[in-house]
Amino acid sequence: MTDNYRFENGDWVQGRSRDGELIHGYVETIDSVQEIVKVRVVESDNEKAISKSIWLPIKWAEKLPDVTVTDNSHR
């Protein structure tokens, strides 16, 4: 198991659904026994998938790096 397979709730991930749709969202639930994660979709090439939760095999999901947002508007 690689580091990309160590998911936690709230992790941002990307992957493909079983129908081949590209999805980007965050982990809501992890089932390590069945090796699946429930992802809340925030972006997808299928607009109907957005705002829905889908189950993905862990091997189909890739954990995205954490991003720190800085606000430079006060300069």
Side-chain angles (χ1 to χ4, degrees):
M1 194 175 283
T2 67
D3 286 340
N4 283 349
Y5 288 176
R6 293 188 188 151
F7 297 108
E8 294 182 20
N9 288 343
D11 282 347
W12 287 94
V13 297
Q14 68 180 13
R16 291 205 177 264
S17 71
R18 69 173 163 236
D19 297 325
E21 303 159 342
L22 181 61
I23 61 109
H24 179 196
Y26 58 90
V27 175
E28 291 185 312
T29 308
I30 303 158
D31 184 334
S32 56
V33 173
Q34 294 186 21
E35 296 187 350
I36 55 177
V37 289
K38 186 177 186 181
V39 177
R40 172 66 67 158
V41 179
V42 296
E43 288 186 79
S44 176
D45 53 1
N46 175 4
E47 290 186 16
K48 293 179 182 179
I50 297 172
S51 298
K52 297 194 172 157
S53 296
I54 64 169
W55 287 98
L56 288 179
I58 287 174
K59 63 184 178 183
W60 290 3
E62 177 185 354
K63 183 176 174 180
L64 298 173
D66 291 335
V67 176
T68 303
V69 177
T70 57
D71 183 359
N72 292 330
S73 64
H74 298 293
R75 288 187 173 178

Coordinates of all heavy atoms in Angstrom, one line a residue:
M1 N 0.8 -1.2 0.0 CA 0.0 0.0 0.0 C 0.9 1.2 0.0 O 1.7 1.4 0.8 CB -0.9 0.0 1.2 CG -2.0 1.0 1.1 SD -3.2 0.9 2.5 CE -4.1 -0.5 2.1
T2 N 0.7 2.1 -1.0 CA 1.5 3.4 -1.1 C 0.9 4.5 -0.2 O -0.3 4.4 0.2 CB 1.6 3.8 -2.5 OG1 0.3 4.2 -3.0 CG2 2.2 2.7 -3.4
D3 N 1.6 5.6 -0.1 CA 1.1 6.7 0.7 C -0.2 7.3 0.1 O -1.1 7.8 0.8 CB 2.1 7.8 0.7 CG 3.2 7.5 1.7 OD1 3.0 6.7 2.5 OD2 4.3 8.1 1.6
N4 N -0.4 7.2 -1.3 CA -1.6 7.6 -1.9 C -2.9 6.9 -1.5 O -4.0 7.3 -1.7 CB -1.5 7.6 -3.4 CG -0.7 8.7 -4.0 OD1 -0.3 9.6 -3.2 ND2 -0.3 8.6 -5.2
Y5 N -2.7 5.7 -0.8 CA -3.8 4.9 -0.4 C -4.2 5.2 1.1 O -5.1 4.6 1.6 CB -3.5 3.4 -0.6 CG -3.5 2.9 -2.0 CD1 -3.2 1.6 -2.3 CD2 -3.8 3.8 -3.1 CE1 -3.2 1.2 -3.6 CE2 -3.9 3.3 -4.4 CZ -3.5 2.0 -4.7 OH -3.5 1.6 -5.9
R6 N -3.4 6.0 1.7 CA -3.7 6.3 3.1 C -4.6 7.5 3.2 O -4.1 8.7 3.3 CB -2.4 6.5 3.9 CG -1.6 5.3 4.0 CD -0.4 5.4 4.9 NE 0.4 4.2 4.8 CZ 1.7 4.2 5.0 NH1 2.3 5.3 5.3 NH2 2.4 3.1 4.8
F7 N -5.9 7.3 3.1 CA -6.8 8.4 3.1 C -7.3 8.7 4.5 O -7.4 7.8 5.3 CB -8.0 8.1 2.2 CG -7.6 7.9 0.8 CD1 -7.6 6.7 0.2 CD2 -7.3 9.0 0.0 CE1 -7.3 6.5 -1.1 CE2 -6.9 8.9 -1.3 CZ -6.9 7.6 -1.9
E8 N -7.7 10.0 4.7 CA -8.4 10.4 5.9 C -9.6 11.2 5.5 O -9.7 11.8 4.4 CB -7.5 11.3 6.8 CG -6.3 10.6 7.3 CD -5.4 11.5 8.2 OE1 -5.9 12.5 8.7 OE2 -4.3 11.2 8.4
N9 N -10.6 11.2 6.4 CA -11.8 12.0 6.1 C -11.4 13.5 5.8 O -10.5 14.0 6.5 CB -12.8 12.0 7.2 CG -13.5 10.7 7.3 OD1 -13.5 9.9 6.4 ND2 -14.1 10.4 8.5
G10 N -11.9 14.1 4.8 CA -11.6 15.5 4.4 C -10.5 15.6 3.4 O -10.3 16.7 2.9
D11 N -9.7 14.5 3.1 CA -8.7 14.6 2.1 C -9.3 14.9 0.8 O -10.3 14.3 0.4 CB -7.9 13.2 2.0 CG -6.9 13.0 3.1 OD1 -6.6 14.0 3.9 OD2 -6.5 11.9 3.3
W12 N -8.6 15.7 0.0 CA -9.0 16.0 -1.4 C -8.4 14.9 -2.3 O -7.3 14.6 -2.2 CB -8.5 17.4 -1.8 CG -9.3 18.5 -1.2 CD1 -9.0 19.1 0.0 CD2 -10.6 19.0 -1.6 NE1 -10.0 20.0 0.3 CE2 -11.0 19.9 -0.7 CE3 -11.4 18.7 -2.7 CZ2 -12.2 20.6 -0.8 CZ3 -12.6 19.4 -2.8 CH2 -13.0 20.3 -1.9
V13 N -9.3 14.4 -3.2 CA -8.9 13.3 -4.1 C -9.4 13.6 -5.5 O -10.3 14.4 -5.7 CB -9.4 12.0 -3.6 CG1 -8.8 11.6 -2.2 CG2 -10.9 11.9 -3.5
Q14 N -8.7 12.9 -6.4 CA -9.3 12.9 -7.8 C -9.2 11.5 -8.3 O -8.5 10.6 -7.7 CB -8.5 13.8 -8.7 CG -7.1 13.4 -9.0 CD -6.4 14.3 -9.9 OE1 -6.8 15.4 -10.2 NE2 -5.2 13.9 -10.4
G15 N -10.1 11.2 -9.2 CA -10.1 9.8 -9.8 C -11.1 9.7 -10.9 O -11.6 10.7 -11.4
R16 N -11.4 8.5 -11.2 CA -12.5 8.2 -12.2 C -13.5 7.2 -11.6 O -13.1 6.3 -10.9 CB -11.8 7.6 -13.4 CG -11.0 8.5 -14.2 CD -10.9 8.2 -15.7 NE -10.1 9.2 -16.4 CZ -10.6 10.2 -17.1 NH1 -12.0 10.3 -17.1 NH2 -9.9 11.0 -17.7
S17 N -14.7 7.5 -11.9 CA -15.8 6.6 -11.5 C -15.8 5.4 -12.3 O -15.1 5.3 -13.3 CB -17.2 7.3 -11.7 OG -17.5 7.4 -13.0
R18 N -16.7 4.4 -12.0 CA -16.7 3.2 -12.8 C -17.2 3.4 -14.2 O -17.0 2.6 -15.1 CB -17.5 2.1 -12.1 CG -19.0 2.4 -12.1 CD -19.8 1.3 -11.5 NE -21.1 1.8 -11.1 CZ -21.6 1.7 -9.9 NH1 -21.0 1.0 -9.0 NH2 -22.8 2.2 -9.7
D19 N -17.9 4.6 -14.4 CA -18.4 5.0 -15.7 C -17.3 5.8 -16.5 O -17.6 6.2 -17.6 CB -19.7 5.7 -15.6 CG -20.8 4.9 -15.0 OD1 -20.8 3.7 -15.3 OD2 -21.6 5.5 -14.3
G20 N -16.2 6.0 -15.9 CA -15.1 6.7 -16.6 C -15.1 8.2 -16.4 O -14.3 8.9 -17.0
E21 N -16.0 8.7 -15.5 CA -16.1 10.1 -15.3 C -15.0 10.6 -14.4 O -14.6 10.0 -13.4 CB -17.4 10.5 -14.5 CG -18.7 10.0 -15.3 CD -19.9 9.9 -14.3 OE1 -19.7 9.8 -13.1 OE2 -21.0 9.8 -14.9
L22 N -14.4 11.7 -14.8 CA -13.3 12.3 -14.0 C -14.0 13.1 -12.8 O -14.9 13.8 -13.0 CB -12.5 13.3 -14.9 CG -11.4 14.0 -14.2 CD1 -10.3 13.0 -13.7 CD2 -10.7 15.0 -15.1
I23 N -13.5 12.8 -11.6 CA -14.1 13.4 -10.4 C -13.0 14.0 -9.6 O -11.9 13.6 -9.5 CB -15.0 12.4 -9.6 CG1 -14.2 11.2 -9.1 CG2 -16.2 11.9 -10.4 CD1 -14.0 11.3 -7.6
H24 N -13.4 15.0 -8.9 CA -12.5 15.7 -7.9 C -13.4 16.1 -6.7 O -14.5 16.6 -6.9 CB -12.0 17.0 -8.6 CG -11.1 17.8 -7.7 ND1 -10.8 19.1 -8.0 CD2 -10.5 17.6 -6.6 CE1 -10.0 19.6 -7.1 NE2 -9.8 18.7 -6.2
G25 N -13.0 15.7 -5.5 CA -13.8 15.9 -4.4 C -13.0 15.6 -3.1 O -11.8 15.4 -3.1
Y26 N -13.8 15.4 -2.0 CA -13.2 15.1 -0.7 C -13.8 13.9 -0.1 O -14.9 13.5 -0.4 CB -13.3 16.3 0.2 CG -14.7 16.8 0.5 CD1 -15.4 16.2 1.6 CD2 -15.3 17.7 -0.2 CE1 -16.7 16.6 1.9 CE2 -16.6 18.2 0.1 CZ -17.3 17.6 1.1 OH -18.5 18.0 1.4
V27 N -12.9 13.2 0.7 CA -13.3 11.9 1.3 C -14.3 12.2 2.4 O -14.0 13.0 3.3 CB -12.1 11.2 1.8 CG1 -12.5 9.9 2.6 CG2 -11.1 10.8 0.7
E28 N -15.4 11.5 2.4 CA -16.4 11.5 3.5 C -16.3 10.3 4.4 O -16.5 10.5 5.6 CB -17.8 11.6 2.9 CG -18.2 12.9 2.2 CD -19.6 12.9 1.7 OE1 -20.1 11.9 1.1 OE2 -20.2 13.9 2.0
T29 N -16.1 9.2 3.8 CA -16.1 7.9 4.6 C -15.0 7.0 4.0 O -14.8 7.0 2.7 CB -17.4 7.2 4.5 OG1 -18.5 8.1 4.9 CG2 -17.5 6.0 5.4
I30 N -14.4 6.2 4.8 CA -13.4 5.2 4.4 C -13.8 3.8 4.9 O -14.1 3.7 6.0 CB -12.0 5.6 4.9 CG1 -11.6 7.0 4.5 CG2 -11.0 4.5 4.5 CD1 -10.5 7.6 5.4
D31 N -13.8 2.9 4.0 CA -14.1 1.5 4.3 C -12.8 0.7 4.0 O -12.6 0.3 2.8 CB -15.3 0.9 3.6 CG -15.6 -0.5 4.0 OD1 -14.7 -1.2 4.4 OD2 -16.8 -0.9 3.8
S32 N -11.9 0.6 5.0 CA -10.6 0.0 4.7 C -10.7 -1.5 4.5 O -9.9 -2.2 3.9 CB -9.6 0.3 5.9 OG -10.2 -0.1 7.1
V33 N -11.8 -2.2 5.0 CA -12.0 -3.6 4.8 C -12.3 -3.9 3.3 O -11.7 -4.8 2.7 CB -13.2 -4.1 5.7 CG1 -13.5 -5.6 5.4 CG2 -12.8 -4.0 7.2
Q34 N -13.2 -3.1 2.8 CA -13.5 -3.3 1.3 C -12.7 -2.5 0.4 O -12.8 -2.6 -0.8 CB -15.0 -3.0 1.1 CG -16.0 -3.9 1.8 CD -17.4 -3.6 1.4 OE1 -17.7 -3.0 0.4 NE2 -18.3 -4.1 2.2
E35 N -11.8 -1.7 1.0 CA -10.9 -0.8 0.3 C -11.6 0.1 -0.7 O -11.3 0.2 -1.9 CB -9.8 -1.6 -0.4 CG -8.9 -2.4 0.5 CD -7.7 -3.1 -0.2 OE1 -7.7 -3.2 -1.4 OE2 -6.9 -3.6 0.6
I36 N -12.6 0.8 -0.1 CA -13.3 1.8 -0.9 C -13.4 3.1 -0.1 O -13.3 3.1 1.1 CB -14.7 1.3 -1.3 CG1 -15.5 0.9 -0.1 CG2 -14.7 0.2 -2.3 CD1 -16.9 0.5 -0.4
V37 N -13.6 4.2 -0.8 CA -13.8 5.5 -0.1 C -15.1 6.2 -0.7 O -15.4 6.0 -1.9 CB -12.6 6.5 -0.3 CG1 -11.4 6.0 0.5 CG2 -12.2 6.7 -1.8
K38 N -15.8 6.9 0.1 CA -16.9 7.7 -0.3 C -16.5 9.1 -0.5 O -15.9 9.7 0.4 CB -18.0 7.6 0.7 CG -19.3 8.2 0.3 CD -20.4 8.0 1.4 CE -21.7 8.5 0.9 NZ -22.7 8.3 2.0
V39 N -16.6 9.6 -1.8 CA -16.1 10.9 -2.1 C -17.3 11.8 -2.5 O -18.2 11.4 -3.2 CB -15.2 10.8 -3.4 CG1 -14.7 12.2 -3.8 CG2 -14.0 9.9 -3.0
R40 N -17.3 13.0 -1.9 CA -18.3 14.1 -2.2 C -17.7 14.8 -3.4 O -16.6 15.4 -3.4 CB -18.5 15.0 -1.1 CG -19.4 16.2 -1.4 CD -20.8 15.9 -1.7 NE -21.4 15.4 -0.5 CZ -22.7 15.4 -0.3 NH1 -23.6 15.8 -1.3 NH2 -23.2 14.9 0.8
V41 N -18.4 14.7 -4.6 CA -17.9 15.3 -5.8 C -18.2 16.8 -5.9 O -19.3 17.2 -5.7 CB -18.6 14.6 -7.0 CG1 -18.1 15.2 -8.3 CG2 -18.3 13.1 -7.0
V42 N -17.1 17.6 -6.1 CA -17.2 19.0 -6.2 C -17.0 19.5 -7.7 O -17.4 20.5 -8.1 CB -16.3 19.8 -5.3 CG1 -16.8 19.5 -3.8 CG2 -14.9 19.5 -5.5
E43 N -16.2 18.6 -8.4 CA -16.0 18.9 -9.9 C -16.0 17.6 -10.6 O -15.5 16.6 -10.1 CB -14.7 19.6 -10.1 CG -14.6 21.0 -9.7 CD -13.3 21.6 -10.0 OE1 -13.1 22.0 -11.2 OE2 -12.4 21.7 -9.2
S44 N -16.6 17.6 -11.8 CA -16.6 16.4 -12.7 C -16.9 16.8 -14.1 O -17.5 17.9 -14.4 CB -17.7 15.5 -12.2 OG -17.8 14.4 -13.0
D45 N -16.5 16.0 -15.0 CA -16.9 16.2 -16.4 C -18.3 15.8 -16.7 O -18.8 16.0 -17.8 CB -15.9 15.5 -17.4 CG -15.7 14.1 -17.1 OD1 -16.3 13.5 -16.2 OD2 -14.9 13.5 -17.9
N46 N -19.0 15.2 -15.7 CA -20.4 14.9 -15.7 C -21.1 15.8 -14.7 O -21.0 15.5 -13.5 CB -20.7 13.4 -15.4 CG -22.1 13.1 -15.4 OD1 -23.0 13.9 -15.6 ND2 -22.5 11.9 -15.0
E47 N -21.8 16.8 -15.2 CA -22.4 17.8 -14.3 C -23.4 17.2 -13.3 O -23.6 17.6 -12.2 CB -23.1 18.9 -15.0 CG -22.1 19.8 -15.7 CD -22.7 21.0 -16.4 OE1 -23.9 21.3 -16.1 OE2 -22.1 21.7 -17.2
K48 N -24.0 16.0 -13.7 CA -25.0 15.4 -12.8 C -24.3 14.7 -11.6 O -25.0 14.5 -10.6 CB -25.7 14.3 -13.6 CG -26.6 14.9 -14.7 CD -27.4 13.8 -15.4 CE -28.2 14.4 -16.5 NZ -28.9 13.4 -17.3
A49 N -23.0 14.5 -11.6 CA -22.3 13.9 -10.5 C -21.9 14.9 -9.4 O -21.7 14.6 -8.3 CB -21.0 13.2 -11.0
I50 N -21.9 16.2 -9.8 CA -21.5 17.3 -8.9 C -22.5 17.4 -7.7 O -23.7 17.3 -7.9 CB -21.3 18.6 -9.6 CG1 -20.2 18.5 -10.7 CG2 -21.0 19.7 -8.6 CD1 -20.1 19.7 -11.6
S51 N -21.9 17.5 -6.5 CA -22.7 17.6 -5.3 C -23.2 16.2 -4.8 O -23.9 16.2 -3.8 CB -23.8 18.6 -5.3 OG -23.4 19.9 -5.6
K52 N -22.9 15.1 -5.5 CA -23.3 13.8 -5.1 C -22.1 13.1 -4.4 O -21.0 13.5 -4.6 CB -23.8 13.0 -6.2 CG -25.0 13.6 -6.8 CD -25.8 12.7 -7.8 CE -27.1 13.4 -8.1 NZ -27.7 13.1 -9.2
S53 N -22.4 12.1 -3.7 CA -21.4 11.2 -3.1 C -21.3 9.9 -3.8 O -22.4 9.3 -4.1 CB -21.7 11.0 -1.6 OG -21.6 12.2 -0.9
I54 N -20.1 9.5 -4.2 CA -20.0 8.2 -4.8 C -18.9 7.4 -4.1 O -18.0 7.9 -3.5 CB -19.6 8.4 -6.3 CG1 -18.3 9.1 -6.5 CG2 -20.7 9.1 -7.1 CD1 -17.8 9.0 -7.9
W55 N -19.0 6.1 -4.2 CA -18.0 5.1 -3.7 C -17.0 4.8 -4.8 O -17.4 4.5 -5.9 CB -18.7 3.8 -3.2 CG -19.5 4.0 -1.9 CD1 -20.8 4.2 -1.8 CD2 -18.9 4.0 -0.6 NE1 -21.1 4.3 -0.5 CE2 -20.0 4.2 0.3 CE3 -17.7 3.9 -0.1 CZ2 -19.9 4.3 1.6 CZ3 -17.5 4.0 1.3 CH2 -18.6 4.2 2.2
L56 N -15.7 4.9 -4.4 CA -14.7 4.5 -5.4 C -13.8 3.5 -4.7 O -13.4 3.6 -3.5 CB -13.8 5.7 -5.7 CG -14.3 6.9 -6.5 CD1 -13.2 8.0 -6.6 CD2 -14.7 6.4 -7.9
P57 N -13.3 2.5 -5.5 CA -12.2 1.7 -5.0 C -11.0 2.6 -4.7 O -10.7 3.5 -5.4 CB -11.9 0.7 -6.1 CG -13.1 0.7 -7.0 CD -13.7 2.1 -6.8
I58 N -10.3 2.3 -3.6 CA -9.2 3.1 -3.2 C -8.1 3.2 -4.3 O -7.6 4.2 -4.5 CB -8.6 2.5 -1.9 CG1 -9.5 2.8 -0.7 CG2 -7.2 3.0 -1.6 CD1 -9.1 2.2 0.6
K59 N -8.0 2.1 -5.0 CA -6.9 2.1 -6.1 C -7.3 3.0 -7.3 O -6.5 3.4 -8.1 CB -6.7 0.7 -6.6 CG -7.8 0.0 -7.2 CD -7.5 -1.4 -7.6 CE -8.7 -2.1 -8.2 NZ -8.4 -3.5 -8.4
W60 N -8.6 3.5 -7.3 CA -9.0 4.4 -8.4 C -8.9 5.9 -8.0 O -9.2 6.7 -8.8 CB -10.4 4.1 -8.8 CG -10.7 2.8 -9.5 CD1 -9.7 1.9 -9.8 CD2 -11.9 2.3 -10.0 NE1 -10.3 0.8 -10.5 CE2 -11.6 1.1 -10.6 CE3 -13.2 2.8 -10.1 CZ2 -12.6 0.3 -11.2 CZ3 -14.2 2.1 -10.7 CH2 -13.9 0.8 -11.3
A61 N -8.6 6.1 -6.7 CA -8.5 7.5 -6.2 C -7.1 7.9 -5.9 O -6.3 7.1 -5.4 CB -9.4 7.6 -4.9
E62 N -6.8 9.1 -6.1 CA -5.4 9.6 -5.9 C -5.6 10.8 -4.9 O -6.3 11.7 -5.2 CB -4.8 10.1 -7.2 CG -3.4 10.7 -7.0 CD -2.8 11.3 -8.2 OE1 -3.4 11.1 -9.3 OE2 -1.8 11.9 -8.1
K63 N -4.8 10.7 -3.8 CA -4.9 11.8 -2.8 C -4.1 13.0 -3.4 O -3.0 12.9 -4.0 CB -4.2 11.4 -1.5 CG -4.2 12.4 -0.5 CD -3.6 11.9 0.8 CE -3.5 12.9 1.9 NZ -2.9 12.4 3.1
L64 N -4.7 14.2 -3.3 CA -4.1 15.4 -3.8 C -3.3 16.1 -2.7 O -3.6 16.0 -1.5 CB -5.2 16.4 -4.3 CG -6.0 15.8 -5.5 CD1 -7.1 16.8 -5.8 CD2 -5.1 15.6 -6.7
P65 N -2.2 16.8 -3.1 CA -1.4 17.4 -2.0 C -2.2 18.5 -1.3 O -3.1 19.2 -1.9 CB -0.3 18.0 -2.8 CG -0.7 18.1 -4.3 CD -1.7 17.0 -4.4
D66 N -1.9 18.8 -0.1 CA -2.5 19.8 0.7 C -2.0 21.2 0.1 O -0.9 21.3 -0.2 CB -2.1 19.8 2.2 CG -2.8 18.6 2.8 OD1 -3.8 18.1 2.4 OD2 -2.2 18.1 3.8
V67 N -2.9 22.1 0.0 CA -2.6 23.4 -0.5 C -2.9 24.5 0.5 O -3.9 24.5 1.2 CB -3.5 23.7 -1.8 CG1 -3.2 25.1 -2.3 CG2 -3.2 22.7 -2.9
T68 N -1.9 25.4 0.8 CA -2.1 26.4 1.7 C -2.5 27.7 0.9 O -1.8 28.1 0.0 CB -0.8 26.7 2.5 OG1 -0.5 25.5 3.2 CG2 -1.0 27.8 3.5
V69 N -3.6 28.3 1.3 CA -4.1 29.5 0.6 C -3.7 30.7 1.4 O -3.9 30.8 2.6 CB -5.7 29.4 0.5 CG1 -6.2 30.7 -0.2 CG2 -6.1 28.2 -0.3
T70 N -3.1 31.6 0.7 CA -2.7 32.9 1.4 C -3.5 34.0 0.7 O -3.7 34.0 -0.5 CB -1.2 33.1 1.2 OG1 -0.8 33.2 -0.2 CG2 -0.4 32.1 1.9
D71 N -3.8 35.0 1.6 CA -4.6 36.1 1.1 C -3.6 37.3 1.0 O -3.1 37.9 2.0 CB -5.7 36.5 2.1 CG -6.6 37.6 1.7 OD1 -6.3 38.2 0.6 OD2 -7.5 38.0 2.4
N72 N -3.3 37.7 -0.3 CA -2.4 38.8 -0.5 C -3.1 40.1 -0.8 O -2.5 41.1 -1.3 CB -1.5 38.4 -1.7 CG -0.5 37.3 -1.4 OD1 -0.1 37.2 -0.3 ND2 -0.2 36.5 -2.4
S73 N -4.4 40.2 -0.6 CA -5.2 41.4 -0.9 C -4.9 42.5 0.1 O -5.3 43.6 -0.2 CB -6.7 41.1 -0.9 OG -7.1 40.7 0.4
H74 N -4.2 42.3 1.2 CA -3.9 43.3 2.1 C -2.6 44.0 1.9 O -2.1 44.7 2.7 CB -3.9 42.7 3.6 CG -5.2 42.2 3.9 ND1 -6.3 42.9 4.1 CD2 -5.6 40.9 4.1 CE1 -7.4 42.2 4.4 NE2 -7.0 40.9 4.4
R75 N -2.0 43.8 0.7 CA -0.7 44.4 0.4 C -0.8 45.7 -0.2 O -1.7 46.1 -0.9 CB 0.2 43.5 -0.5 CG 0.7 42.3 0.3 CD 1.6 41.6 -0.5 NE 2.2 40.5 0.3 CZ 3.0 39.6 -0.1 NH1 3.4 39.6 -1.3 NH2 3.5 38.8 0.7

